[in-house]
Amino acid sequence: MRGKKRIRIAAAVMAALLTVYTVFVYFLVSAGLVPSFMDKLNAFEDITRKCYSEQVQTADIQENRTKLLTDTEEWLKNTKRRKVQVRTADGYLLTAAEFPAQATDEGSAENLESTGDKWALLLHGYTGWKEEMYQFACWYHRQGYSVLVPDLRCQGESEGDFIGMGWTDHYDCELWIAHILEQAPEAQIVLHGQSMGAATALILAGSPEVSGHIKAVVSDSAYTSGYEMFGDKITEWFHLPAAPFVDSACVMLRLRGGYNLKDASPLRAVKASGIPTLFIHGDEDRMIDVNMSYELFAAAACEKELFIVEGAGHAQAQDKAPDDYYGRIGAFLDRYL
């Protein structure tokens, strides 16, 4: 009898521990990938403060950034744009801003039409929003491109339940590609992303069904793996080892969000990509190690270039060396579009 009692007690304890562990993993997934839950934790504010504290704060970067933002604001005042939306297969409404090249001066914003075949699809980073990419939209638009700048799912004005770390986002981007081709059937498209947006672009470029209209990729501060990044955040936020929590989070995310963090692998994607890619990274990036871009560049099967900006932190290459940044992008794109 005593033996059976011990077994029942042990089973109850194990069940309780398993329940606690499951609840904690549920919390981890929600805290890192569910914006509505992150809002309750003030996680966005914490992430913003953390990002700022890890950026390089030098006089030249601050001066260049101020100039770029001021220039972008002036461009926005004189440039017509419209809001466009698409609906995903799983029912979410996604929103983007569209800046048609050489838009007509007549008619409402909803009736704007593009007059060119060069397009740029600009993708923001983790917990970001489309407005962060307007400074890049300004540059592309002035080069004669039509520009489409979406809010990735769960972020900005776009609906969704889970941040996709590039995986669900690359499927969403196929909808934006289709939207572009409805307007310009001969469109030549550039994918330009920062951080998670860069990871999204690389995953899309390496997809077996990738559109032949995508002619080049600009990958700025990409990571090699969503799985690895989530493990890093578990260690950073909770001071816990990634194993076994990140694998448990993958199981939980597949059950709740329908995808696996291991699928979000730009490193695997670049090995299959045939689209010319420019890899950019700051050598003082404290959020996504510069070695990840070195690794991506080495593994990429496509025509490729690597541009490492000395003294730049995470996604600060354009602020550290704007002339070199846009000059390098312009020269790269001139070869393929």
Side-chain angles (χ1 to χ4, degrees):
M1 294 295 292
R2 289 182 177 177
K4 292 182 178 179
K5 184 176 181 180
R6 291 193 185 98
I7 291 173
R8 287 196 297 270
I9 293 173
V13 170
M14 289 299 294
L17 290 174
L18 180 59
T19 299
V20 171
Y21 182 78
T22 301
V23 170
F24 182 65
V25 172
Y26 186 99
F27 172 82
L28 286 178
V29 171
S30 298
L33 298 174
V34 180
S36 59
F37 189 85
M38 296 167 76
D39 275 337
K40 297 176 183 178
L41 299 176
N42 293 321
F44 285 110
E45 292 81 359
D46 292 341
I47 289 170
T48 300
R49 285 194 295 270
K50 179 71 172 176
C51 290
Y52 184 81
S53 68
E54 293 188 343
Q55 293 291 59
V56 177
Q57 306 295 342
T58 57
D60 61 333
I61 286 178
Q62 293 175 358
E63 181 179 347
N64 289 335
R65 180 158 186 77
T66 298
K67 184 178 183 303
L68 287 171
L69 293 178
T70 300
D71 196 30
T72 300
E73 289 175 3
E74 289 301 314
W75 168 74
L76 285 169
K77 292 177 183 178
N78 300 297
T79 303
K80 292 184 179 180
R81 65 182 183 271
R82 63 171 179 166
K83 177 188 288 190
V84 294
Q85 295 181 310
V86 296
R87 190 169 295 278
T88 67
D90 49 356
Y92 298 120
L93 189 65
L94 307 180
T95 298
E98 182 178 304
F99 301 87
Q102 303 174 0
T104 59
D105 291 330
E106 299 180 357
S108 66
E110 289 74 15
N111 294 322
L112 293 176
E113 294 183 357
S114 170
T115 59
D117 287 330
K118 294 199 300 183
W119 283 76
L121 179 59
L122 308 183
L123 306 172
H124 65 75
Y126 174 73
T127 69
W129 49 87
K130 60 183 176 297
E131 286 79 8
E132 294 178 341
M133 302 301 290
Y134 282 180
Q135 60 179 307
F136 306 100
C138 173
W139 182 82
Y140 277 100
H141 195 260
R142 287 173 172 172
Q143 310 309 307
Y145 287 77
S146 293
V147 185
L148 190 63
V149 194
D151 280 320
L152 300 182
R153 64 166 56 199
C154 297
Q155 295 157 95
E157 297 181 76
S158 289
E159 298 175 351
D161 291 324
F162 294 88
I163 294 174
M165 296 304 292
W167 181 250
T168 52
D169 308 293
H170 96 277
Y171 288 117
D172 295 341
C173 284
E174 291 177 350
L175 300 176
W176 294 123
I177 298 296
H179 167 79
I180 291 172
L181 295 179
E182 286 177 0
Q183 301 177 81
E186 302 301 321
Q188 300 181 79
I189 302 169
V190 177
L191 305 179
H192 182 144
Q194 279 197 317
S195 194
M196 191 183 81
T200 301
L202 294 176
I203 293 171
L204 179 58
S207 169
E209 295 82 23
V210 63
S211 170
H213 291 271
I214 300 175
K215 301 301 182 182
V217 175
V218 178
S219 168
D220 185 342
S221 309
Y223 48 76
T224 54
S225 164
Y227 175 88
E228 184 175 348
M229 289 301 297
F230 195 77
D232 288 345
K233 295 309 175 187
I234 287 175
T235 300
E236 178 184 334
W237 292 339
F238 301 101
H239 307 290
L240 296 170
F245 297 105
V246 67
D247 287 307
S248 298
C250 284
V251 175
M252 179 69 70
L253 184 59
R254 180 170 286 282
L255 292 173
R256 294 178 61 196
Y259 79 97
N260 191 331
L261 280 171
K262 292 181 180 179
D263 292 333
S265 175
L267 185 61
R268 181 170 63 243
V270 297
K271 296 176 182 178
S273 175
I275 298 175
T277 302
L278 172 61
F279 296 91
I280 302 173
H281 218 114
D283 71 346
E284 294 190 24
D285 192 331
R286 301 185 186 97
M287 298 178 63
I288 297 176
D289 195 285
V290 64
N291 288 320
M292 287 194 170
S293 274
Y294 281 114
E295 191 174 354
L296 288 165
F297 177 76
C302 55
E303 295 185 51
K304 56 192 177 182
E305 287 187 15
L306 180 64
F307 179 37
I308 304 300
V309 179
E310 295 183 2
H314 184 63
Q316 285 186 302
Q318 76 284 352
D319 297 330
K320 179 64 179 179
D323 292 340
D324 291 341
Y325 183 88
Y326 289 112
R328 189 70 173 264
I329 292 172
F332 181 79
L333 296 181
D334 282 346
R335 291 200 293 276
Y336 301 107
L337 280 82

